[in-house]
Amino acid sequence: MRFVAVTAAILILLGLTLVSCSGDSPVQPWVTGSSVDKKPVDPPPTGEGSFGLEAKYTYIGSYPTGGGVFILRLIPGADLTGDVALSVSALKTLNATLTTTIVNSETTIAEVTISPTAQVPIALHNITVTASNQSHEETVQLEVDVVPWGIVSMNMIQEKYDQFEDWLRDEHPELGNFASQRWDLYSTYPRIVVVEHYTFLSDDWELRICFHVMIPPYDWSKMLLRPRGQWDPILAAVREWDEGAQDYVISEMPVEDYPIINGY
């Protein structure tokens, strides 16, 4: 398995030294200005009729060289025909990218991924997504709270991922070969410790893993799996100590039981 992830010591030291300094500071204003990257719609939309546009959540936390994903959904009106075009406007150093620039009544889901550079300002940034056709336009405002942080538990993350990958291979072969996925890895919730949360993002999947940083047998871990281009996750699992088996076992759990923080 290959990871596209940042493990540089300088970033780790930056995150560890600055967190305590910035924890009590007020929320900074949105960053806008001449460095905003607005990507035009090309070709122009040809559809007509009414629609709505909603985001599953409008806020995420991130950090320099981190990541993030927003999920958007088109709500077609009764009179909607043809395509609706999407465009995104954001600070260039956020690297905000739409997974598709066209949605319609049949294909309603789009995503905005971010991949902040090391130079992204530590601040609360806004992203504007615009949906438009020949007769209607909607916008959604998204927020990315960039804080000093980094990945500090790479070996442990690798171990937890491998355990769930083996389980998926054995229990859910119908989902395909996860070992062949090319993953981007980032901390899902910067500044959250004791229970650490990470996201693995490939072209096909959003796979989240969280784990309790404790000594055995209290070091449980959980996994959440969502196909890219779908609104909801389809599978969740937990790995925990089983007293009867005197071993760790992985079993499925309800998707809604996977821990979500700050609404995303």
Side-chain angles (χ1 to χ4, degrees), residues 39-111:
K39 299 175 183 178
V41 177
D42 185 25
T46 58
E48 293 185 345
S50 61
F51 59 85
L53 183 68
E54 66 173 332
K56 189 167 188 179
Y57 40 83
T58 59
Y59 167 94
I60 62 174
S62 193
Y63 55 95
T65 68
V69 58
F70 292 96
I71 309 169
L72 306 172
R73 179 163 60 185
L74 181 78
I75 306 172
D79 60 339
L80 180 66
T81 60
D83 293 333
V84 174
L86 300 177
S87 63
V88 63
S89 177
L91 195 73
K92 288 183 179 179
T93 49
L94 283 177
N95 284 326
T97 304
L98 281 159
T99 55
T100 180
T101 57
I102 296 293
V103 287
N104 50 48
S105 297
E106 288 74 39
T107 303
T108 60
I109 303 297
E111 297 173 7

Side-chain angles (χ1 to χ4, degrees), residues 160 162-168 171 221 223 237-240 248-252:
K160 303 300 182 183
D162 289 344
Q163 291 162 353
F164 283 111
E165 182 188 278
D166 291 343
W167 180 80
L168 285 166
E171 300 297 324
S221 54
M223 178 208 72
V238 57
R239 181 182 184 270
E240 57 191 347
Y248 287 91
V249 297
I250 297 178
S251 56
E252 292 189 29

